[in-house]
Amino acid sequence: MSLFRDDGIVLRTQKLGEADRIITLLTRGHGRVRAVARGVRRTKSKFGARLEPFSHVDVQFFARGSELIGRGLPLCTQSETIAPYGGGIVTDYARYTAGTAMLETAERFTDHEGEPAVQQYLLLVGGLRTLAQGEHEPHLILDAFLLRSLAVNGYAPSFSDCAKCGMPGPNRFFSVAAGGSVCVDCRVPGSVVPSAGALELLGALLTGDWAHADACEPRYVKEGSGLVSAYLHWHLERGLRSLRYVEKST
């Protein structure tokens, strides 16, 4: 029997029995963790109020062994709020749908429980903080988060140089299967010809050039989101359920 302490973001919750929940978190030190929180669905439970999606929390776990991830689910025995990002997200539909897609993406990219994913964790914390503060348009924050999640997991797209031969860009064609922009000699069936403005926007989102991204024309934003969605779906091998609601909010 061991105690573990970590900080994490609550990704989702599931009902368990009459008063309990299974809480899924992305933690700093242990990656994705599922734990049982007892009694949190009771109306007077302050403990449960801290364990809602989008919450950044400091959590104590109790496990029946020397490892946090073992045969059974650990218990979540204590929780302290670090930052209640949900307060600035759930009251706005565009922020909420973008935030939900971010949580789903983080969970999909951390499919092995107990394996640290520090870069993905820090990316999610920063993304939710920016979203809650309303510093930029929600769909731009989401696209930046999706692109950077792809990058930290080894799928960084190219938006200028050829993804296959390295020919300096800009290049006209774009292929999700080839890894992004491709030159005329490397283009493959299914390649598209996006506008230069859309590719410049996506490059800005990937590198954090918010001055360029915030000033971008809506037509390039919409086109860029379509490319990001297609690229993400290709590498995840199936789509995000939450993206359909993001599309309705824009």
Side-chain angles (χ1 to χ4, degrees):
M1 298 183 180
S2 305
L3 289 175
F4 299 86
R5 199 169 193 97
D6 208 340
D7 56 90
I9 296 287
V10 179
L11 301 179
R12 63 187 174 96
T13 65
Q14 299 166 264
K15 292 181 180 179
L16 179 66
E18 295 184 358
D20 306 336
R21 278 196 179 122
I22 297 175
I23 312 295
T24 301
L25 306 101
L26 179 57
T27 67
R28 180 189 295 270
H30 298 87
R32 185 164 61 87
V33 174
R34 290 188 308 144
V36 174
R38 300 201 181 281
V40 296
R41 287 166 54 204
R42 297 192 179 101
T43 55
K44 295 182 180 180
S45 173
K46 295 182 180 179
F47 181 37
R50 302 186 190 112
L51 294 173
E52 293 293 335
F54 306 113
S55 294
H56 188 194
V57 290
D58 181 331
V59 185
Q60 180 174 279
F61 301 101
F62 173 82
R64 297 181 181 278
S66 59
E67 300 291 335
L68 177 58
I69 305 301
R71 294 181 180 178
L73 295 179
L75 294 178
C76 179
T77 57
Q78 186 178 347
S79 173
E80 297 295 335
T81 299
I82 297 174
Y85 295 129
I89 294 175
V90 300
T91 55
D92 180 88
Y93 185 73
R95 290 185 198 174
Y96 175 74
T97 53
T100 300
M102 292 164 68
L103 297 183
E104 185 181 355
T105 299
E107 184 169 3
R108 292 282 294 278
F109 273 123
T110 54
D111 53 352
H112 297 294
E113 291 187 26
E115 292 186 3
V118 178
Q119 286 183 299
Q120 185 68 70
Y121 165 78
L122 294 174
L123 189 61
L124 182 59
V125 171
L128 293 180
R129 181 190 303 118
T130 302
L131 189 64
Q133 293 173 347
E135 297 178 6
H136 310 284
E137 290 296 322
H139 51 277
L140 289 177
I141 297 171
L142 172 60
D143 283 343
F145 175 81
L146 296 179
L147 290 171
R148 295 176 196 182
S149 292
L150 285 159
V152 301
N153 285 282
Y155 306 117
S158 172
F159 297 119
S160 181
D161 297 346
C162 179
K164 298 190 72 175
C165 72
M167 178 178 176
N171 288 288
R172 291 183 56 206
F173 303 96
F174 188 91
S175 167
V176 295
S181 293
V182 288
C183 65
V184 64
D185 294 328
C186 293
R187 65 173 174 168
V188 296
S191 297
V192 297
V193 185
S195 65
L199 292 180
E200 289 172 1
L201 167 64
L202 296 183
L205 291 175
L206 183 59
T207 59
D209 183 357
W210 284 105
H212 180 96
D214 289 336
C216 203
E217 294 181 33
R219 56 178 174 147
Y220 296 142
V221 173
K222 185 175 182 179
E223 183 182 2
S225 291
L227 293 176
V228 173
S229 178
Y231 195 86
L232 180 73
H233 289 186
W234 172 268
H235 288 287
L236 288 180
E237 298 182 349
R238 67 181 192 275
L240 294 178
R241 291 174 297 174
S242 49
L243 276 185
R244 71 188 70 170
Y245 302 106
V246 174
E247 292 165 0
K248 292 179 181 178
S249 70
T250 57

